[in-house]
């Protein structure tokens, strides 16, 4: 259900292309290698490898991609661990509807878009 809501928010932006989705951290890493997105959204609590572990792998595999992690935990408390793992920002899932798009814009810096990959 959360992924459906995120997809709706992302598809509302005509300047972005959603290039892929993954159901877990392993699939997120595999798809990111293939699709080379500009931005990767990861849920911290994904099945299999966690979003933070996926971020560590993605930092090595797709170093140019920006990584945004989402969590039900307080984003401010999670941020130091997320940054250490290679993420560029955190968003609290309870306020995604208001914070996700501005955070993506901030992280991407309006760079040339190859797409956004989402994993949850």
């Amino acid at each position: 259900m959360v992924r459906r809501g995120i997809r709706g928010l992302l598809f509302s932006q005509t300047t972005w292309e959603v290039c892929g989705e993954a159901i877990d951290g392993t699939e997120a890493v595999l798809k990111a290698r293939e699709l080379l997105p500009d931005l990767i959204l990861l849920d911290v609590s994904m099945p299999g490898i966690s979003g933070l572990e996926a971020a560590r792998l993605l930092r090595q595999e797709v170093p140019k991609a920006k990584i945004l992690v989402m969590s039900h935990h307080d984003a401010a408390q999670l941020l130091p661990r997320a940054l250490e793992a290679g993420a560029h920002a955190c968003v609290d899932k309870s306020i995604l509807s208001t914070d996700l798009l501005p955070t993506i814009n901030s992280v991407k810096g309006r760079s040339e878009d190859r797409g956004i990959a989402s994993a949850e």
Side-chain angles (χ1 to χ4, degrees):
M1 188 165 94
V2 173
R3 189 169 7 151
R4 196 173 326 151
I6 292 168
R7 188 182 313 125
L9 285 171
L10 296 177
F11 279 119
S12 73
Q13 302 299 301
T14 59
T15 59
W16 301 341
E17 176 185 345
V18 177
C19 65
E21 292 182 43
I23 59 170
D24 60 31
T26 302
E27 186 179 13
V29 173
L30 293 172
K31 284 194 172 192
R33 279 186 205 149
E34 174 190 342
L35 299 170
L36 302 174
D38 289 320
L39 181 94
I40 302 166
L41 304 177
L42 298 170
D43 190 328
V44 170
S45 302
M46 292 186 296
I49 63 172
S50 74
L52 295 180
E53 184 57 31
R56 283 183 189 88
L57 294 170
L58 288 164
R59 184 58 31 234
Q60 296 170 10
E61 299 285 335
V62 191
K64 292 184 180 179
K66 304 290 186 183
I67 300 171
L68 176 81
V69 295
M70 305 171 290
S71 177
H72 280 296
H73 306 287
D74 180 15
Q77 289 182 346
L78 178 63
L79 186 59
R81 290 183 24 229
L83 293 174
E84 181 182 314
H88 295 83
C90 294
V91 176
D92 186 323
K93 285 170 73 174
S94 67
I95 53 174
L96 281 179
S97 63
T98 59
D99 284 9
L100 181 61
L101 298 180
T103 303
I104 289 173
N105 282 326
S106 174
V107 168
K108 285 183 60 73
R110 296 287 188 188
S111 65
E112 182 181 330
D113 294 338
R114 285 190 308 269
I116 298 171
S118 174
E120 179 185 35

